[in-house]
Amino acid sequence: MSLRTTQRCRVVLDNDWAGDPDGLVALAHHLLSPANRVDAVTSSHLSPVFGPAEGTAERGARLARELVDLVDGPRPVVAAGCDVVLDAGDTGSAAADLVVAQALRDDPLPLVVVCAGPLTNVAQALRQEPEIASRMTLVWVGGSLDADAFEYNRETDSGAAREVLARSDLAVTQVPLETYRRCEHSVAELEEDLGQAGRVGAWLWQRLVELPIPDFVEQGETWPLGDSPPVLLTALTDTTSAWTEVASDGAPRRVVTDVDVRLLVADLLAKLRRHERLALGG
């Protein structure tokens, strides 16, 4: 028996699911959180720095579908985006179509598009139907407070990031590099806690173990769960985190400056363990 949970919003989750598995960890957390209703999942491409980008969006979509099946709860539609950046000649995708369709739906719950990768799919959707900007809120894990810092999600498709963030009619909450880096987690803890948290946790840990880490990456004893902070905004609470309003070329933007990592990780592990217990009939 548990407390009744009120749904706060519906979400579209967009990420490069074939890349760093912290995105899949965040996807599982959203799927297991009843306060946000996951209606759609869209997959974006990887940066060519990790090898040819061709096929990476569809590979990510397959991983997302596998996780959705394993959770065996909400059944969101999953669609892949294109494998090139915004202005490389591919003007549309199934992912962009899905974002548009969700934004045009009449629903009493507000729509939050959570993107923790390049903004390619979001930019394509806004180009297709510009009026959807006023019908959704974008939560983006990406960019940086330091204008000179390299940030992967922004640099993977810098044109898409500039175009989306320049819109004056789109409400944006940003989780920048300096904030999502606070979600660093010990690899030993992930193995013991995440890896032992039922079948879903074990599947997520296996994705970390199997990730082909390029030779130029020096892997230490920690791993960032940087794609997880949006769960605080869509399902849990942002009252124990901190943010500021910043001026921008587009609409004023809310920038998250600190996140409640304890709440985030404790809630994830509790939901994974509960999911396993209920799946076993306990």
Side-chain angles (χ1 to χ4, degrees):
M1 187 175 189
S2 60
L3 295 175
R4 179 179 61 86
T5 299
T6 301
Q7 285 190 331
R8 300 172 57 187
C9 62
R10 55 194 177 102
V11 296
V12 173
L13 300 173
D14 182 83
N15 207 315
D16 49 353
W17 310 110
D20 189 336
D22 70 329
L24 295 169
V25 174
L27 174 57
H29 201 171
H30 281 285
L31 290 170
L32 293 169
S33 298
N36 68 182
R37 192 182 78 208
V38 181
D39 284 350
V41 178
T42 54
S43 180
S44 58
H45 57 89
L46 296 182
S47 167
V49 72
F50 294 115
E54 184 178 0
T56 56
E58 180 55 44
R59 187 163 77 244
R62 289 197 300 270
L63 284 168
R65 292 187 189 102
E66 186 176 342
L67 178 55
V68 166
D69 289 342
L70 187 61
V71 170
D72 194 24
R75 305 299 302 181
V77 182
V78 180
C82 59
D83 288 323
V84 295
V85 297
L86 181 65
D87 289 319
D90 199 330
T91 58
S93 67
D97 292 344
L98 185 54
V99 173
V100 170
Q102 290 297 323
L104 292 177
R105 280 181 52 197
D106 288 325
D107 195 291
L109 289 176
L111 175 63
V112 180
V113 175
V114 175
C115 178
L119 283 165
T120 310
N121 295 332
V122 176
Q124 285 183 337
L126 289 166
R127 280 188 177 184
Q128 288 175 216
E129 296 288 347
E131 67 271 20
I132 68 172
S134 62
R135 298 176 62 90
M136 68 189 201
T137 296
L138 172 66
V139 176
W140 183 44
V141 178
S144 60
L145 301 177
D146 179 356
D148 295 325
F150 174 86
E151 197 284 312
Y152 175 83
N153 292 340
R154 179 184 59 209
E155 302 308 326
T156 297
D157 194 344
S158 58
R162 284 193 300 272
E163 186 167 314
V164 170
L165 298 179
R167 296 194 65 103
S168 61
D169 53 352
L170 177 66
V172 177
T173 295
Q174 179 184 7
V175 184
L177 170 72
E178 292 84 354
T179 303
Y180 70 70
R181 274 182 172 170
R182 295 175 181 267
C183 297
E184 203 79 5
H185 211 70
S186 158
V187 170
E189 287 180 300
L190 287 173
E191 181 176 6
E192 292 299 314
D193 296 339
L194 184 65
Q196 300 301 317
R199 283 163 290 181
V200 176
W203 185 90
L204 293 169
W205 169 247
Q206 194 61 31
R207 302 289 76 75
L208 287 162
V209 171
E210 294 178 356
L211 181 69
I213 300 175
D215 292 339
F216 62 81
V217 175
E218 295 183 3
Q219 177 57 45
E221 291 197 26
T222 62
W223 197 284
L225 297 182
D227 287 353
S228 291
V231 180
L232 292 167
L233 306 173
T234 63
L236 298 175
T237 179
D238 60 7
T239 58
T240 54
S241 298
W243 61 88
T244 187
E245 296 282 343
V246 300
S248 67
D249 294 335
R253 192 182 317 151
R254 187 167 80 146
V255 177
V256 180
T257 55
D258 195 15
V259 290
D260 190 340
V261 178
R262 188 218 64 82
L263 173 61
L264 201 57
V265 175
D267 184 71
L268 168 66
L269 296 177
K271 283 174 175 169
L272 288 170
R273 291 190 294 263
R274 182 178 65 184
H275 176 268
E276 181 69 8
R277 185 178 71 250
L278 293 176
L280 295 175

